[in-house]
C-alpha cells in the first residue's frame, strides 16, 4: 500500500489523483467508489460499478473472498497478493492487489497496481536514483580533474617554450597539450548540465524536431532517410528549447552513428514520431497529458551487454564514443520532469522521450 492517506467518505474524489487503480468497498466487498484509473482499466463508469461485488471483476474470485474474510476477522491489517482484473473487451490485467482497512470499519480500500506498471515504476525509480548518484559523482570527479589538468597544460606550454630550439622534442609537448585540451573538453561536457540555468519559454516540439532533422540531413546527405510522423495537435509547452534540441539531437545522432553500415548501403532510416499520451504514470505520479517523442532507427540495436547501462556516463556501444550523449539527454529531459526509455531489438531501436504537458 502506498503512503497516501485514505480520504474521508465525503472526499473520495481525492482518489482520482492516484495513478493506481483504487476501489473503496463495504464490509461485504461491494464497490462504494471507483477512481478514474479503475474506471479506465475496467471500461465501465463509476456509476455502473457502484454496488457491484468486486469479486465479479477478480480472477480467481476465491483469492478475494479469502482476503476479505481475513480482513473482516481482523486477522491482518493489510493483505497483499497477485491476481487478475477482468476488463470489458480486453484480456484480464495482472495486478498486485493491496487490501487495507480504513478509519471507517465498514469500509475497506483496495489498491491494484498493474504488474507491468509496477516493474516499470521500480525501473524508473532505480534510473532516477542512479542518475542522481551519477550527477554527484561526475560533478565531484570533474572538479577534481580540472585543477591538475590546467597545471599539466601550463607546464607543458612552458616546457614547449624551453624546447623551442629542439623541434624533435616539441612533438611530445604538443601531444601533452592536445590531450590536456581533449580531457578539458570532456570535463566541460560532464559539467555542462550543472552550469547552465534553465531558460523556459513556449516550445513547439515540431520546431525542435525540424531543427534536429536539418542537422542530421546536413551531416548525412546521402543514404539516410529522416521520416516525419507528427501529431500536429500537440500544444506548445513550457520548456528550455535549446536543451530539448540538444537532447533529441543526442538521441538522433546516436542512432545515426549506429546506422553507419546502413547509410553506406543507402537504406538507413530514422523516424521522428510525436504523439500525445493521456493518463501517464511517471514513477508514482500520474499526469493527465504527456508528450511522447520517439526517435526510431532501423539499425542493429543496442548491444545486450550494455542495454541496462546505456544511460550511465562513459558507457558506449561503439569505438571512439564518449558515452556521454545519452547521459546528457536523460539529464536534460529529467530537468523537464520527464524521462527517456529505450526499447531495442535488431532492426528496431526506439528511444522515447516522455514529458508532462498537463
Amino acid at each position: 500500500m502506498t503512503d497516501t492517506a485514505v480520504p474521508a467518505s465525503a472526499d473520495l474524489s481525492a482518489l482520482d489523483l492516484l495513478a493506481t487503480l483504487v476501489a473503496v468497498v463495504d464490509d461485504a466487498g461491494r464497490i462504494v467508489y471507483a477512481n478514474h484509473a479503475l474506471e479506465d482499466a475496467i471500461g465501465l463508469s463509476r456509476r455502473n460499478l457502484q454496488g457491484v461485488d468486486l469479486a465479479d471483476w477478480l480472477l480467481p474470485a476465491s483469492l478475494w473472498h479469502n482476503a476479505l474474510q481475513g480482513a473482516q476477522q481482523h486477522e491482518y491489517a493489510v493483505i497483499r497478493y497477485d491476481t487478475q482484473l477482468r476488463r470489458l473487451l480486453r484480456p484480464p490485467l495482472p495486478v498486485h492487489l493491496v487490501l487495507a482497512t480504513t478509519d471507517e470499519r465498514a469500509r475497506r480500500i483496495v489498491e491494484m497496481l498493474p504488474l507491468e506498471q509496477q516493474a516499470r515504476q521500480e525501473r524508473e525509480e532505480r534510473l532516477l536514483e542512479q542518475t542522481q548518484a551519477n550527477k554527484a559523482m561526475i560533478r565531484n570527479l570533474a572538479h577534481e580533474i580540472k585543477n591538475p589538468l590546467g597545471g599539466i597544460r601550463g607546464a607543458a606550454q612552458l616546457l614547449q617554450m624551453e624546447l623551442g630550439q629542439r623541434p624533435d622534442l616539441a612533438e611530445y609537448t604538443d601531444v601533452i597539450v592536445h590531450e590536456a585540451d581533449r580531457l578539458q573538453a570532456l570535463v566541460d561536457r560532464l559539467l555542462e548540465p550543472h552550469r547552465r540555468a534553465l531558460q523556459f519559454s513556449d516550445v513547439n516540439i515540431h520546431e525542435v524536431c525540424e531543427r534536429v532533422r536539418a542537422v542530421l540531413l546536413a551531416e548525412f546527405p546521402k543514404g539516410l532517410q529522416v521520416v516525419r510522423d507528427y501529431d500536429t495537435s500537440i500544444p506548445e509547452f513550457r520548456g528550455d528549447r535549446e536543451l530539448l534540441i540538444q537532447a533529441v539531437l543526442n538521441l538522433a545522432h546516436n542512432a545515426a552513428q549506429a546506422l553507419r553500415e546502413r547509410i553506406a548501403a543507402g537504406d538507413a532510416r530514422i523516424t521522428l514520431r510525436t504523439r500525445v499520451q493521456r493518463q501517464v504514470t511517471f514513477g508514482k505520479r500520474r499526469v493527465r497529458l504527456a508528450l511522447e517523442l520517439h526517435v526510431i532507427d532501423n539499425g542493429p540495436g543496442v548491444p545486450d551487454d550494455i542495454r541496462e547501462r546505456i544511460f550511465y556516463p562513459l558507457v558506449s556501444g561503439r569505438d571512439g564514443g564518449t558515452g556521454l550523449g545519452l547521459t546528457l539527454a536523460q539529464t536534460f529531459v529529467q530537468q523537464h520532469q520527464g524521462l527517456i526509455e529505450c526499447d531495442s531489438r535488431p532492426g528496431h531501436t526506439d528511444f522515447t522521450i516522455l514529458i508532462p504537458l498537463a
Side-chain angles (χ1 to χ4, degrees):
M1 189 68 184
T2 63
D3 295 333
T4 305
V6 178
S9 57
D11 191 28
L12 291 176
S13 61
L15 296 174
D16 290 331
L17 301 177
L18 297 181
T20 48
L21 321 179
V22 180
V24 177
V25 300
D26 62 20
D27 202 45
R30 293 184 296 267
I31 298 174
V32 175
Y33 191 90
N35 74 342
H36 287 328
L38 184 57
E39 288 181 295
D40 293 341
I42 292 178
L44 276 180
S45 69
R46 178 181 302 146
R47 179 174 299 179
N48 288 326
L49 288 172
Q50 283 178 343
V52 174
D53 191 339
L54 183 59
D56 294 343
W57 294 97
L58 297 174
L59 299 172
S62 58
L63 293 177
W64 165 251
H65 289 310
N66 291 339
L68 185 60
Q69 183 178 2
Q72 290 168 339
Q73 295 175 358
H74 308 292
E75 295 178 2
Y76 310 98
V78 176
I79 301 173
R80 300 169 178 266
Y81 68 94
D82 292 342
T83 186
Q84 295 190 75
L85 177 70
R86 287 181 53 226
R87 299 185 292 176
L88 291 181
L89 305 177
R90 287 180 291 174
L93 177 68
V95 296
H96 180 71
L97 185 147
V98 184
L99 171 64
T101 59
T102 69
D103 293 337
E104 301 179 42
R105 292 187 174 275
R107 290 186 176 182
R108 310 184 190 284
I109 188 164
V110 182
E111 184 176 15
M112 289 169 276
L113 184 65
L115 293 180
E116 179 182 348
Q117 179 181 328
Q118 184 179 30
R120 176 183 171 185
Q121 177 177 311
E122 291 172 354
R123 186 169 63 249
E124 290 174 2
E125 289 175 350
R126 286 197 305 270
L127 178 61
L128 183 59
E129 290 172 2
Q130 184 64 51
T131 301
Q132 296 299 330
N134 287 340
K135 281 199 272 188
M137 178 192 71
I138 288 171
R139 192 163 51 243
N140 293 335
L141 182 60
H143 281 299
E144 289 297 322
I145 292 174
K146 191 170 184 179
N147 291 334
L149 194 58
I152 292 171
R153 190 184 192 284
Q157 287 178 314
L158 291 174
L159 183 59
Q160 198 171 41
M161 293 170 61
E162 293 294 326
L163 295 175
Q165 305 302 318
R166 296 287 306 275
D168 57 321
L169 297 179
E171 63 178 296
Y172 298 117
T173 54
D174 287 342
V175 169
I176 297 173
V177 171
H178 175 76
E179 290 302 302
D181 287 343
R182 187 176 64 84
L183 288 174
Q184 181 64 57
L186 179 62
V187 169
D188 288 341
R189 289 193 68 194
L190 288 170
L191 290 174
E192 181 182 351
H194 314 289
R195 285 175 168 168
R196 182 178 178 278
L198 295 178
Q199 299 174 6
F200 279 79
S201 61
D202 290 337
V203 175
N204 183 318
I205 194 59
H206 299 120
E207 291 179 0
V208 171
C209 291
E210 286 299 293
R211 172 81 172 273
V212 171
R213 184 174 184 273
V215 172
L216 279 182
L217 293 178
E219 185 173 354
F220 304 95
K222 295 182 179 180
L224 175 62
Q225 180 185 14
V226 183
V227 180
R228 303 177 177 100
D229 183 3
Y230 298 161
D231 177 354
T232 56
S233 69
I234 296 175
E236 291 188 345
F237 61 97
R238 300 292 292 177
D240 188 313
R241 185 173 181 272
E242 294 305 316
L243 285 189
L244 290 173
I245 289 173
Q246 191 62 55
V248 180
L249 184 59
N250 284 4
L251 297 180
H253 198 266
N254 192 70
Q257 294 296 331
L259 287 168
R260 287 288 187 180
E261 292 185 7
R262 282 192 173 272
I263 290 175
D267 63 350
R269 184 177 66 257
I270 293 176
T271 301
L272 301 176
R273 177 180 298 158
T274 60
R275 294 291 186 269
V276 166
Q277 286 293 324
R278 290 174 172 78
Q279 303 301 331
V280 180
T281 302
F282 291 81
K284 295 182 179 179
R285 183 168 57 98
R286 189 177 180 86
V287 300
R288 185 173 58 83
L289 205 65
L291 163 68
E292 188 177 83
L293 169 58
H294 298 264
V295 179
I296 305 170
D297 70 73
N298 63 337
V302 178
D304 291 338
D305 59 332
I306 65 169
R307 187 165 298 176
E308 298 298 320
R309 302 180 290 117
I310 55 173
F311 293 110
Y312 291 9
L314 309 180
V315 173
S316 177
R318 62 183 177 86
D319 294 337
T322 63
L324 291 178
L326 295 180
T327 302
L328 292 174
Q330 185 74 267
T331 298
F332 296 153
V333 172
Q334 286 181 346
Q335 288 174 330
H336 290 77
Q337 310 305 312
L339 58 91
I340 304 176
E341 297 180 329
C342 177
D343 176 31
S344 182
R345 59 184 183 273
H348 182 91
T349 296
D350 182 355
F351 281 93
T352 305
I353 295 175
L354 291 165
I355 295 177
L357 296 177

